[in-house]
Amino acid sequence: LSCGNIIESLSTAYQICPSGQIHEIWEFFDAWTLEITRRGGTTNDDAAGSNERDSSTELSFCVQMFIIFIRNVRTNKQNSTEIRTFSEKTMASSVATLLGNDISIESISARCDYFLRQGLNLCGWLVDIHTRACFWIENLHVSYHGS
């Protein structure tokens, strides 16, 4: 994802994405992140080092794609409640797993730092979209009370 044209194309696609598709795209990225995190670094065979590298590369790609999506989702009055719910769910699932809240002590290894960085990066952008969604929710309440 180092090519600006790819990121720009993805950004445009997400910005014009019909709001009815946001849920499916979000669920895809959330499930993918969870799957990689849960399987990453858990193999005990001779190829464990290779599997961890593959998982790390895939996780990095997945998190970057998820962040591009989050950065470009347009929040508005119609989808703000749904987006707030999505971001809270992802914080409790994918981010919690990346930060190590539900992994055993035995599986914590060198992967920990890498997964922690990915988790914090994703967390930061989830806070951003959660804030944008809450802005619209707060404005909905103000407009209802003001009438």
Side-chain angles (χ1 to χ4, degrees), residues 43-89:
T43 57
N44 293 322
D45 59 3
D46 292 335
S50 175
N51 288 339
E52 284 187 32
R53 281 190 300 278
D54 291 347
S55 291
S56 295
T57 301
E58 186 181 2
L59 179 64
S60 176
F61 180 75
C62 175
V63 169
Q64 286 177 19
M65 291 291 291
F66 202 171
I67 289 171
I68 291 169
F69 173 68
I70 290 168
R71 287 174 51 191
N72 289 285
V73 168
R74 303 228 184 215
T75 54
N76 55 44
K77 291 179 185 180
Q78 290 76 28
N79 67 10
S80 58
T81 303
E82 183 180 41
I83 288 175
R84 182 183 68 178
T85 302
F86 294 158
S87 62
E88 290 169 355
K89 180 182 173 262

Side-chain angles (χ1 to χ4, degrees), residues 17-29 69 82 86 89:
C17 172
S19 59
Q21 292 179 352
I22 292 172
H23 178 259
E24 285 77 19
I25 297 169
W26 194 293
E27 287 294 321
F28 168 78
F29 284 125
F69 173 68
E82 183 180 41
F86 294 158
K89 180 182 173 262

Side-chain angles (χ1 to χ4, degrees), residues 108-124:
I108 296 175
S109 64
R111 85 174 190 123
C112 188
D113 288 340
Y114 185 77
F115 280 45
L116 183 63
R117 279 192 310 252
Q118 295 298 322
L120 291 173
N121 195 12
L122 181 58
C123 179

